[in-house]
Amino acid sequence: MPLNLGRRTFIAAAAALTLAYPTFVSAADKVVDEIHFIIPGGAGGGWDGTARGTGEALTKAGLVGTASYENMSGGGGGKAIAYMIENAQSLDNTLMVNSTPIIIRSLTGVFPQSFRDLTLIAGTIGDYAAIVVGKDSPINNMTDLVAAYKADPSKVAIGGGSVPGGMDHLVAAMAMEAAGEDPTAFKYIPYDAGGKAMAGLLSGEIAALSTGFSEAIDLANAGEVKIIGVTSGDRVPAYPDAPTMKEQGLNTEFVNWRGFFGAPGLSADKVSAYQDAIAKMYDTPEWEEVRARNGWVNIHKSGDDFKNYLEAQEKQVGDLMKKLGFL
């Protein structure tokens, strides 16, 4: 079973509160009157974009009356999780967005809670991961990268925008392991921002960069990089020139999920209503506009399917992190 990874492991420190204008719809169309989205990171990040994009689609499609948003940074996402738990009785109109970091940070003890302490609503979207090299690099595919590493490991560092043991590191480790190399041996250089990582790539400090596929597409379209491997099962229409890892003989396939959680003890009626609204959202042009604009992949998983998905990821991520020495 392929490993499914989330992509960001850093959280911005800003906080903001924004209220969307209500969309007036008929009672027959509307599934939920209002949703207040809690975003565990700052404005502009992946969680922020997912919550606001989902709220935009739901309200414009008439499935939700109004949507509001609250950025709640802190504790690697732990502040928002604690808020959901501690104020559960008053949060029946509230959903929190999250992604694979809730798995990793629970495993590593960044916060004491896990997804099991919340009410699971649905996994909604994902973003594949990619390995890229500079536009002028002599490396043109994953075979070239592995060959260069074998020739001189000291000269083939791979960078990423997350800390050691974070998403980008794990992606690179899985690719190297699939190539038959020791996933703990290659040099990983972490950067605290995408711009710094790109500077490291262009300066030659790193030979390749592990990043999100949607970010890689933007960089490739700008002529800055070549995408040498993407973790999708098939080539992605949004950038069909990017070869998959699998077609290059590397059994590495995963998608970085994002989804929504309710407070613990949320009523069955509320859970059902939220899940119904999200399920119906996928068939609307409003959602397709948001999805296409952001380059997201639909990975709808609800209820027990979502729970099973998270439990499988927890085991697989945990196993890899143990192998790498992070657990």
Side-chain angles (χ1 to χ4, degrees):
M1 179 178 180
L3 178 63
N4 300 291
L5 296 178
R7 122 137 283 285
R8 295 295 81 195
T9 59
F10 65 90
I11 307 290
L17 178 65
T18 304
L19 181 66
Y21 290 104
T23 299
F24 296 99
V25 300
S26 69
D29 295 328
K30 191 166 58 178
V31 178
V32 176
D33 287 333
E34 62 174 330
I35 299 179
H36 182 63
F37 290 98
I38 295 292
I39 303 162
W47 286 333
D48 188 71
T50 301
R52 294 176 190 273
T54 302
E56 175 190 334
L58 287 169
T59 53
K60 285 186 175 181
L63 295 167
V64 172
T66 61
S68 55
Y69 313 90
E70 182 176 358
N71 294 84
M72 191 177 292
S73 301
K79 180 179 179 180
I81 296 171
Y83 174 83
M84 295 288 289
I85 294 171
E86 293 165 5
N87 299 278
Q89 293 185 345
S90 62
L91 298 179
D92 64 346
N93 71 329
T94 300
L95 294 181
M96 181 189 72
V97 64
N98 220 292
S99 57
T100 298
I102 198 173
I103 301 284
I104 293 179
R105 291 167 185 164
S106 175
L107 287 171
T108 56
V110 172
F111 43 73
Q113 306 93 345
S114 77
F115 64 85
R116 295 177 181 84
D117 295 302
L118 301 164
T119 298
L120 278 61
I121 303 298
T124 55
I125 59 101
D127 182 19
Y128 297 113
I131 302 293
V132 305
V133 297
K135 60 182 179 180
D136 298 321
S137 171
I139 295 171
N140 293 303
N141 49 52
M142 290 300 297
T143 300
D144 288 349
L145 179 64
V146 174
Y149 174 78
K150 287 181 176 180
D152 190 347
S154 67
K155 292 184 178 179
V156 185
I158 300 177
S162 64
V163 299
M167 285 298 90
D168 295 335
H169 189 184
L170 294 178
V171 168
M174 291 190 65
M176 294 301 284
E177 183 177 44
E181 299 301 312
D182 182 352
T184 69
F186 75 96
K187 184 178 182 181
Y188 175 78
I189 298 181
Y191 296 89
D192 62 6
K196 292 182 179 179
M198 178 53 56
L201 182 65
L202 298 179
S203 71
E205 182 179 21
I206 54 177
L209 176 65
S210 174
T211 188
F213 184 51
S214 59
E215 294 180 22
I217 291 174
D218 290 340
L219 294 170
N221 285 333
E224 296 293 334
V225 303
K226 296 180 289 188
I227 302 174
I228 63 170
V230 59
T231 60
S232 55
D234 301 298
R235 293 203 180 198
V236 181
Y239 198 87
D241 289 341
T244 69
M245 297 286 189
K246 292 187 73 174
E247 72 184 70
Q248 300 179 79
L250 305 181
N251 189 24
T252 303
E253 180 184 351
F254 54 84
V255 66
N256 314 319
W257 65 269
R258 297 188 191 117
F260 295 94
F261 300 80
L266 189 65
S267 72
D269 287 346
K270 274 287 188 180
V271 171
S272 179
Y274 289 137
Q275 291 175 339
D276 186 33
I278 289 171
K280 290 178 177 177
M281 175 186 73
Y282 287 96
D283 295 326
T284 68
E286 291 82 4
W287 171 250
E288 179 55 25
E289 179 183 346
V290 170
R291 186 209 63 76
R293 184 176 73 218
N294 289 281
W296 294 335
V297 177
N298 289 331
I299 56 162
H300 184 215
K301 294 183 181 298
S302 190
D304 286 343
D305 285 343
F306 191 29
K307 177 175 178 288
N308 294 336
Y309 184 84
L310 297 184
E311 288 179 343
Q313 184 187 72
E314 182 181 56
K315 181 181 186 307
Q316 292 176 313
V317 169
D319 288 346
L320 180 59
M321 294 186 77
K322 288 175 183 175
K323 183 180 294 185
L324 295 173
F326 292 107
L327 290 181

